[in-house]
Amino acid sequence: SLADFGTGLIVDDRVQQARDSGALGVHLGRNDMPAAEARELLGPDAIIGVTVNSLEEAIAASRGPVDYLGAGPVFGTLSKDNPAPALGLDGLGRIVDAVALPVVAIGGINADNAAAVIGQGAYGVAVLSAVACAEDPEAATRNIVEAVAGKAPGKVVHDD
């Protein structure tokens, strides 16, 4: 099991699959099931994260039954058809300062900017294009991990 490796699975969007698979929890986007409903289905020990695209959304979401926020896009992103406006480093920093929950930064993060993202207080980073679109995904992942090593209180998360 994943627990044997000291890790676990957070399922993106699909609460029922998270429950059925024994995943640690679920990450919910803007158009997914409300966090309170997911908490009811998954129970008190599940990890529930939600995506936020603004300071106002972050403050509102942090009042709900969630364990972390996925804030972004920090920079422009290629993985969404109609992305929200980029927060920038300052916007990310304002969110981190305004909420007591861990904030995982998402959107346009790569080895060149990951350390600056962590410098704004993000708990960790989620990446997609920087790895999935890389000529050498293994090297790209290694470079991101090295960029945040010793800086991030959390982990690097591959978001797909």
Side-chain angles (χ1 to χ4, degrees):
S1 85
L2 291 172
D4 295 336
F5 296 98
T7 190
L9 176 66
I10 303 291
V11 174
D12 192 30
D13 301 334
R14 295 177 174 88
V15 176
Q16 191 63 45
Q17 284 85 344
R19 190 173 113 194
D20 292 349
S21 69
L24 293 179
V26 67
H27 183 87
L28 303 169
R30 302 176 89 180
N31 299 318
D32 296 328
M33 179 184 292
E37 197 174 323
R39 176 66 68 203
E40 198 171 298
L41 287 170
L42 297 176
D45 297 330
I47 297 171
I48 297 177
V50 297
T51 298
V52 297
N53 302 125
S54 69
L55 177 60
E56 295 76 18
E57 287 181 14
I59 291 169
S62 70
R63 295 183 183 125
V66 300
D67 301 292
Y68 73 93
L69 303 177
V74 177
F75 307 107
T77 180
L78 301 173
S79 64
K80 301 280 183 191
D81 289 335
N82 296 305
L87 295 169
L89 290 172
D90 290 340
L92 174 64
R94 284 192 289 279
I95 290 172
V96 168
D97 290 344
V99 300
L101 295 172
V103 175
V104 176
I106 60 177
I109 297 168
N110 57 44
D112 294 332
N113 60 28
V117 168
I118 296 302
Q120 290 296 313
Y123 180 80
V125 299
V127 298
L128 176 57
S129 298
V131 172
C133 298
E135 190 171 306
D136 184 347
E138 184 179 340
T141 301
R142 193 176 319 105
N143 291 339
I144 295 167
V145 169
E146 289 171 4
V148 301
K151 297 174 184 76
K155 305 275 187 219
V156 175
V157 179
H158 179 255
D159 177 27
D160 59 1

